[in-house]
Amino acid sequence: MRAIQVARYGERLKLKNVDIPKFNPIDQFLVKICYAPINPSDVYYVKGLYGLRKPLPTIGGFEGCGIIAEASDKSLIGRNVMCWADDSINYGTWADYFPVQKQNSIILDSKIEHNNQFDQYCSPFINPFTAVGFLDIVRKLNAQCVVLNAANSAVGRMSIKLFNNQNIKTIAIVRRQEQIQNLYDIGATHVLLSTNEKFDQELVQTIKQNKAKVFYDALGGEYSGLIFKNLENSGMLVGYGRFSNNKINDIDPIDLVFKQKEIKGFWLSKWYEQKGSEEQQQIKKLVENQITSTFSTRIQQTQVPDDDNINELIKLALNNSGQGKYVLDFTK
Amino acid sequence: MRAIQVARYGERLKLKNVDIPKFNPIDQFLVKICYAPINPSDVYYVKGLYGLRKPLPTIGGFEGCGIIAEASDKSLIGRNVMCWADDSINYGTWADYFPVQKQNSIILDSKIEHNNQFDQYCSPFINPFTAVGFLDIVRKLNAQCVVLNAANSAVGRMSIKLFNNQNIKTIAIVRRQEQIQNLYDIGATHVLLSTNEKFDQELVQTIKQNKAKVFYDALGGEYSGLIFKNLENSGMLVGYGRFSNNKINDIDPIDLVFKQKEIKGFWLSKWYEQKGSEEQQQIKKLVENQITSTFSTRIQQTQVPDDDNINELIKLALNNSGQGKYVLDFTK
């Protein structure tokens, strides 16, 4: 089968011809992958910059969608499935076949047509589950309003929609004028442009007026301290994912002690592992039901991978994702 | 009675003659205060810089020791007692009489002589309970080594002794050469001088070698980020108390997400309130048993307060506490 293999972390990737993985029918399905996205976290992983390194050689790709090719329950063979990797297996979804742990899959209604819309189902986990994890934090802290930066990212957009459904207000920070209306259209309460001359002032005022309590910080850098400072008491800065190299600065210890604010990180796989299987089922059901609405993925380009385009696509996926995902096509 | 009253937060304090407070015999004892320390948190409180402001006029002083003057159980009258304030009453210990909530007192063995050593019992809460709270965090995180800055402070010294009793290693950071041996003498594992030329290097090396996991940060400033960066995975920066105006800088989001480290504050009264009454009893017993050993207080000066010396003593207590506490004497 074809597989995008990582021989050494950080090296150029190659499309290799490798054996179809063995699968364990008790715990796993074998999935014929149709589409797999290139997420920023995938790129960090293949570069060796992710929180986790697996033994080499390894295969890239944390998630995708496809068809069940092998299963102990034969009636499932041929069903459409969304699936994702976890820390326990050394396979990725950037390949023709992927052995998925059963609990890391969502089997879809068999009526979905295999037309060219099926790539819409390729991002079931990284972004949707992160948005659900963000909602989890909001509920624990009983927050009424949150701040998101890099708000036009996939996870930013899904979070805005999910929070809007739950009547949680969002203050969305973007870096480009043309993203503003777009985020209002999907339900953002306030959209602020960080390049505005009076951004600092607007930001502080909007946070205070709306009593924002949680700040999901994808960027770090100069505004993190300012936003943290202005959050409600018992508020939280939640660092996640898709960083620039910026550090978080200007944290006032008074906020930590007397305002009982906290600074934490959100690591999707740890969060999901800690959930009981019943709650995991509920989350999967929620994502399945809203995969084409709240959790819909904008796709910029779907490409059959080859040795020539794969490294270029990875670069584009990291630096040019504002218009949507780059998706690898394993159907052809 | 005499009372050091705060008419407006931040104004000069005055020794006033006020009515002896009424007390509620169901929940309270009335204590004749003998000795009450001037802690940094007291100074922040009277300046209006503490996390909590009570209605004015208010009386300063969070803790002290004295004699039970009134109680529903008459057999307790005359007993020595250590006591502290909480958020529910608008009285402080910088006065002849203090109505204490029963749960905020430790009644002492009646055999303690009322000689001039009784001022040793004036600091039962702020520092000892903070040290116990620090141990609580160490246990939750299963840490084997911790870092303390401003380590020659009362709470620093008590923490070093308490951790040493529990075989938890301590890396103590001080700013003066003469404090080094002193902290080794009470059980510090490593004492580092922050004015050393190679301090950064020593610090990183010592943290890594000892796998330090918790950093109790009383100062903020340039080293906070460096220490946080080098803590073990799932480690924690705990901000507390006695700050300079320094901010915490240079926090790497990677540490938050993929190393699952956290930044929190420790607010003594919130921590203590959250404990059940059984655990509160255990903590009080621990502090009582070790009040002249692990939790002993170094006293620099014990003074009868008057209008002339009180503001001066407060200044000294904040800026010159390296040799021990300034204590107010209400016995004369």
Side-chain angles (χ1 to χ4, degrees), chain A residues 49-51 239-240 243 246-254 256-258 260 262-267 270, chain B residues 50-51 239-240 243 246-254 256-258 260 262-267 270:
Chain A
L49 302 174
Y50 191 70
Y240 75 100
F243 305 113
N246 294 321
K247 300 294 195 294
I248 296 169
N249 291 316
D250 225 22
I251 297 299
D252 190 339
I254 297 288
L256 301 174
V257 180
F258 295 129
Q260 294 279 288
E262 299 183 9
I263 301 177
K264 290 191 181 184
F266 180 81
W267 191 359
K270 297 288 171 209
Chain B
Y50 191 70
Y240 75 99
F243 305 112
N246 294 323
K247 300 293 194 294
I248 296 169
N249 291 317
D250 225 22
I251 297 299
D252 189 340
I254 297 287
L256 301 174
V257 180
F258 295 128
Q260 295 279 288
E262 298 184 10
I263 301 178
K264 290 191 181 184
F266 180 81
W267 191 359
K270 297 288 171 208

Side-chain angles (χ1 to χ4, degrees), chain B residues 95-109:
Chain B
D96 275 314
Y97 290 91
F98 172 64
V100 67
Q101 299 299 114
K102 288 177 182 173
Q103 76 268 23
N104 296 340
S105 68
I106 299 173
I107 300 175
L108 292 163
D109 190 312

Side-chain angles (χ1 to χ4, degrees), chain B residues 135-299:
Chain B
L135 183 61
D136 210 21
I137 295 168
V138 154
R139 285 185 172 149
K140 271 191 192 124
L141 297 184
N142 199 17
Q144 303 304 317
C145 177
V146 305
V147 184
L148 292 148
N149 60 14
N152 193 48
S153 68
V155 73
R157 296 170 58 88
M158 289 180 192
S159 299
I160 288 167
K161 289 189 271 183
L162 184 63
F163 286 141
N164 189 39
N165 295 346
Q166 306 284 331
N167 293 313
I168 309 288
K169 290 188 280 186
T170 47
I171 300 169
I173 302 171
V174 295
R175 279 177 287 196
R176 294 206 193 113
Q177 179 77 42
E178 65 268 26
Q179 297 167 339
I180 297 178
Q181 191 53 48
N182 205 306
L183 294 191
Y184 277 125
D185 290 345
I186 61 171
T189 319
H190 299 276
V191 186
L192 304 180
L193 189 63
S194 62
T195 53
N196 254 2
E197 208 184 315
K198 291 188 174 172
F199 172 66
D200 292 42
Q201 208 177 312
E202 275 180 356
L203 179 64
V204 170
Q205 207 177 356
T206 313
I207 291 171
K208 294 214 161 203
Q209 275 172 359
N210 293 278
K211 300 183 192 296
K213 198 168 181 182
V214 185
F215 168 36
Y216 302 100
D217 185 2
L219 298 174
E222 56 181 327
Y223 295 115
S224 295
L226 184 67
I227 294 170
F228 186 68
K229 176 94 230 154
N230 288 286
L231 294 179
E232 284 287 282
N233 286 4
S234 305
M236 191 182 286
L237 182 157
V238 181
Y240 75 99
R242 210 190 141 214
F243 305 112
S244 61
N245 287 320
N246 294 323
K247 300 293 194 294
I248 296 169
N249 291 317
D250 225 22
I251 297 299
D252 189 340
I254 297 287
D255 284 315
L256 301 174
V257 180
F258 295 128
K259 301 189 173 169
Q260 295 279 288
K261 299 180 193 174
E262 298 184 10
I263 301 178
K264 290 191 181 184
F266 180 81
W267 191 359
L268 175 60
S269 56
K270 297 288 171 208
W271 170 78
Y272 186 63
E273 274 168 34
Q274 283 159 14
K275 295 286 169 192
S277 67
E278 197 179 329
E279 208 176 342
Q280 288 185 349
Q281 284 306 325
Q282 287 168 359
I283 298 166
K284 290 204 278 189
K285 205 72 210 162
L286 171 71
V287 170
E288 182 185 354
N289 289 341
Q290 303 185 25
I291 192 73
T292 57
S293 53
T294 308
F295 304 114
S296 73
T297 295
R298 292 176 309 157
I299 292 174

Side-chain angles (χ1 to χ4, degrees), chain A residues 192-208:
Chain A
L192 304 179
L193 188 63
S194 62
T195 53
N196 254 1
E197 208 184 316
K198 291 188 174 172
F199 172 66
D200 292 42
Q201 207 177 312
E202 274 180 357
L203 179 65
V204 170
Q205 207 177 356
T206 313
I207 292 172
K208 295 215 160 202

